[in-house]
Every structure is written in C-alpha cells, then in structure tokens.
Amino acid sequence: MKEIVVSGIRPTGKLHLGNYFGAFKNFLTLQEEFNSYFFIADYHSLTTHPTQSDMAGSVKRVLAEYIALGLDPEKCTIYIQSDLPETAELYLMLNMNAYLGELERVTSFKDKVRSQPNNINAGLLTYPVLMAADILIHKGVKVPVGKDQEQHLEMARTFGNRFNRLYQTDIFPEPQAFSAGKELVKVPGLTGGGKMSKSAGDADTIYLDESAETLKKKIMRAVSDSGPTVPGAPKSQPVQNLFDLMSLVCKTETIEFFDQEHKNGSIRYGDLKKQLAADMENFIAPLREKIQDTLNNEKRLDEIAKFGAEKARKNARETMNAVREAVGFKKN
Ligand code: TYM
C-alpha cells in the first residue's frame, strides 16, 4: 500500500513564498508517488480570525492557487477542512487526552499569547490537537511542512501514540514532518526578522501573484545593513536573509559572486537587490498568470472541492468508525 501524505495551509489571504518553498513545493512532488490529501485549513484560520469577512472568498482563493500551482485533483485528494466533519469529531476525542500543561508549552501558543493577548481562545490552545486530527484522520505518515511546524508534528505523534496506548489499538501510525531537502525549510521575510509571515505585514511578504512593480519595490526596500565593517566580517541577520532568498531563485554563480563581494567588503546591496528582484520576477511571472486564469473559473473550483470532499470523507469515515469502536461507541 502507498504511504499516506497529509498537509494543509490556512486560508488567511494569498499564498506567499514561505508557503511555497516551506510546504507546497513538496506537495507537488509527493502527489506523483503517494496517496496524498491536501486541504485548506479553514477551521484553523478561525483561531486567529474568528470573524473573517470573506471566508468563502479566502478559501476559494487558496483552492485556485493549489490548482494553478500544479496540484492535480486526479492525482491527489484536494478538499476543504470544514467539509470533513469527521476531523472535528476526532479533534473532540483527542482533546479528552490532551493536557493543559503540554498545550501551554507549545511555542506557537506562547507566541500568540504575546501577539493577540485579547483573544487567547481555547481553539488557539488546542490548535495542535486539531492539526493532529487532520493528519491522523487519514492515517498520514508524511507531512510536508515548513520548519515552524516541527513541534506540532511532535504533538501529533504524542496524541496518536497516546490514543493507541489508552484504547489498546494500533489505529494510528506515527506521522513525520517531510521535506525533499535535507532539512525542513524556513523562508525569511524582507523586514530583517525571522520567517516570512503575513502577520509581520505586507512589506515582509512576497505573494505568489505579486505584480512586477510591487515585487521590485518590496525587494528594493528590504532591510539590509550599512555594509560589512571589515573584509571577512560575518553577515548580519537581515543580509543573511537576502542571501537565503537568493538561494531560492538565483543561479549558484550569482550567489557566489555576491558572497565574494561581501567577503571583500565591497558589496553593494542595491546591486544584489536588483539581481534578486529580476530573478524573483522570472520565478513569479508564470505563477501570477496561472493564478489569475484559475481564479476566473469558479465552476471548476466548486466541482474540484466537491469531488475532493467525497474522496476524503470515504477515508475519514473508515478511520472514525475504528476510533468510535475503540473508544466504546457504536459505529456510524
Ligand atoms: P500556515 O497557513 O501557517 O502555513 C502553511 C504552510 O506553510 C509553511 N510556511 C513556511 N515555511 C517556511 N518558511 C516560511 N516563512 C513559512 N511560512 C509558512 C508552514 O510551515 C506550513 O507548512 N498549521 C499549519 C496548517 C495545518 C496543517 C495541518 C499542516 C493545519 N492542519 C495538518 C499539516 C498537517 C500551518 O502552519 O499553516
């Protein structure tokens, strides 16, 4: 039997470069070989945006991007998380054996406590439980995600193993975070901080359909530093970020050239940014066009979501019946 792949992205706007290189690029390769489930995590988006003004539009947007960027509904199962009530039922069951102490220690929860002190809701606390339910409902073993999701995957293993132990069953396998490269990916943003993230603001983020003009402006305004103080000085974080972004879209010779210039102390960041903007435009231009074309085809998107939900539910129902039986409930 083929190994099962599961992953999702929250519909909080357009997909960005971090989503693409952290997760989506792997979706594309995995759909060829494995039994893959890729969904749009709309339940999860409620933890930070409980009253999103255009939920349906945001979901459709991500669905269109999935298709435009190359997911094939014939090769993998593409669905919307809230079309699968079985996920919510498994989440409920797993919550009974998820403990306050372990949930409060999760880094992403602690970050949110700092960033949204007026909305520390229970959904935020149990975010990793819902994520475990997403994966375990399909008995997923490979989970393509970016570096920031590593701890959530560890929790998914904990909850799955705990369920198996408590109910003396072997329903759930152990899911592992997956990256085709050596390590899980972290794409930095343009404002000199950590990972690229929508919550760090528009200036931090490169969207996959960014217009040529905005793309250039954003990159030319990216944070750097005042130049290496002495030849051979180590790169500052904002400059390392620019090199990390170059590694995604520039040729090796280009990176080596600027690296040498930095070592010599003669680097001109304006030149580096111009080159990065040009290479980024080459990467983005075809994506921008495909996304626009797909967004215009609403009927096809509705059909894809319906088809995906049916396929996903068939699998989810089977798992849920085994879970209900293990717990002592009747099958549905
Ligand atoms: P979300 O929407 O925050 O991120 C979606 C995916 O994009 C990756 N990502 C990044 N990777 C590298 N560098 C970045 N700057 C960057 N920004 C985002 C994330 O690691 C993620 O893989 N909780 C998940 C959504 C989810 C899920 C799941 C994933 C819900 N249930 C079950 C896998 C399996 C998330 O982070 O969404």
Side-chain angles (χ1 to χ4, degrees):
M1 217 176 74
K2 285 185 186 170
E3 274 185 308
I4 296 180
V5 175
V6 185
S7 195
I9 298 181
R10 286 174 303 138
T12 50
K14 304 167 173 196
L15 297 194
H16 58 68
L17 217 60
N19 300 135
Y20 188 86
F21 285 101
F24 195 85
K25 206 173 156 210
N26 286 312
F27 294 7
L28 294 179
T29 42
L30 292 167
Q31 72 169 341
E32 302 296 331
E33 274 183 67
F34 297 97
N35 184 2
S36 302
Y37 294 85
F38 298 122
F39 61 95
I40 296 158
D42 54 352
Y43 282 148
H44 270 109
S45 71
L46 295 178
T47 61
T48 46
H49 299 85
T51 54
Q52 203 163 310
S53 58
D54 183 18
M55 179 65 93
S58 298
V59 168
K60 199 156 279 181
R61 163 101 216 167
V62 178
L63 180 60
E65 293 189 293
Y66 274 9
I67 305 301
L69 300 173
L71 284 192
D72 179 346
E74 297 296 331
K75 289 183 179 164
C76 63
T77 304
I78 303 167
Y79 67 97
I80 299 162
Q81 188 185 30
S82 64
D83 279 345
L84 213 67
E86 289 78 8
T87 303
E89 190 182 0
L90 181 57
Y91 169 56
L92 183 150
M93 303 255 195
L94 295 176
N95 265 328
M96 304 304 169
N97 302 309
Y99 302 111
L100 183 61
E102 63 189 343
L103 294 170
E104 279 178 332
R105 279 194 298 277
V106 175
T107 313
S108 59
F109 177 69
K110 289 196 280 192
D111 287 347
K112 288 288 184 244
V113 169
R114 273 190 292 273
S115 65
Q116 57 177 66
N118 297 325
N119 183 21
I120 309 167
N121 60 70
L124 212 48
L125 180 72
T126 55
Y127 188 110
V129 188
L130 180 54
M131 198 164 146
D134 291 326
I135 299 166
L136 298 173
I137 197 77
H138 296 301
K139 304 189 182 180
V141 292
K142 275 188 165 52
V143 187
V145 282
K147 177 101 184 123
D148 59 324
Q149 299 299 307
E150 216 166 18
Q151 194 180 20
H152 291 159
L153 261 292
E154 197 182 311
M155 309 275 306
R157 287 191 288 277
T158 301
F159 298 137
N161 284 335
R162 191 176 289 156
F163 185 96
N164 285 348
R165 209 172 44 247
L166 280 170
Y167 298 104
Q168 296 181 4
T169 162
D170 58 1
I171 296 175
F172 299 125
E174 278 201 342
Q176 304 289 342
F178 175 87
S179 164
K182 267 192 257 121
E183 282 178 30
L184 298 180
V185 173
K186 175 179 146 192
V187 176
L190 295 170
T191 53
K195 64 162 184 163
M196 179 176 287
S197 143
K198 249 199 84 185
S199 54
D202 252 11
D204 193 59
T205 316
I206 296 173
Y207 297 108
L208 297 176
D209 72 337
E210 204 78 81
S211 75
E213 199 189 336
T214 316
L215 178 64
K216 186 155 186 212
K217 245 189 234 158
K218 282 187 175 180
I219 294 181
M220 294 313 287
R221 284 184 193 152
V223 177
S224 58
D225 60 23
S226 51
T229 41
V230 285
K235 294 187 186 93
S236 64
Q237 186 60 54
V239 169
Q240 184 58 52
N241 287 355
L242 292 175
F243 274 84
D244 288 351
L245 288 169
M246 277 204 296
S247 74
L248 303 173
V249 292
C250 299
K251 290 196 186 113
T252 318
E253 305 94 85
T254 310
I255 301 167
E256 279 170 2
F257 171 79
F258 285 108
D259 196 43
Q260 196 53 50
E261 294 278 288
H262 189 274
K263 283 199 181 97
N264 298 344
S266 54
I267 190 161
R268 289 157 56 130
Y269 294 130
D271 292 347
L272 179 152
K273 288 179 186 174
K274 257 189 222 149
Q275 185 64 49
L276 175 59
D279 289 340
M280 195 62 83
E281 169 59 14
N282 282 340
F283 172 74
I284 297 274
L287 305 186
R288 183 194 298 138
E289 201 172 311
K290 283 189 207 151
I291 291 171
Q292 205 45 55
D293 284 353
T294 317
L295 263 175
N296 294 336
N297 199 342
E298 284 222 12
K299 189 164 166 273
R300 176 155 179 254
L301 292 175
D302 288 340
E303 281 164 10
I304 289 172
K306 192 162 173 271
F307 178 61
E310 278 162 16
K311 274 209 281 179
R313 283 199 79 178
K314 186 170 176 296
N315 193 44
R317 253 188 238 120
E318 276 172 29
T319 309
M320 222 32 238
N321 268 332
V323 166
R324 290 177 65 94
E325 210 172 20
V327 173
F329 296 148
K330 69 173 174 22
K331 286 188 186 179
N332 252 339

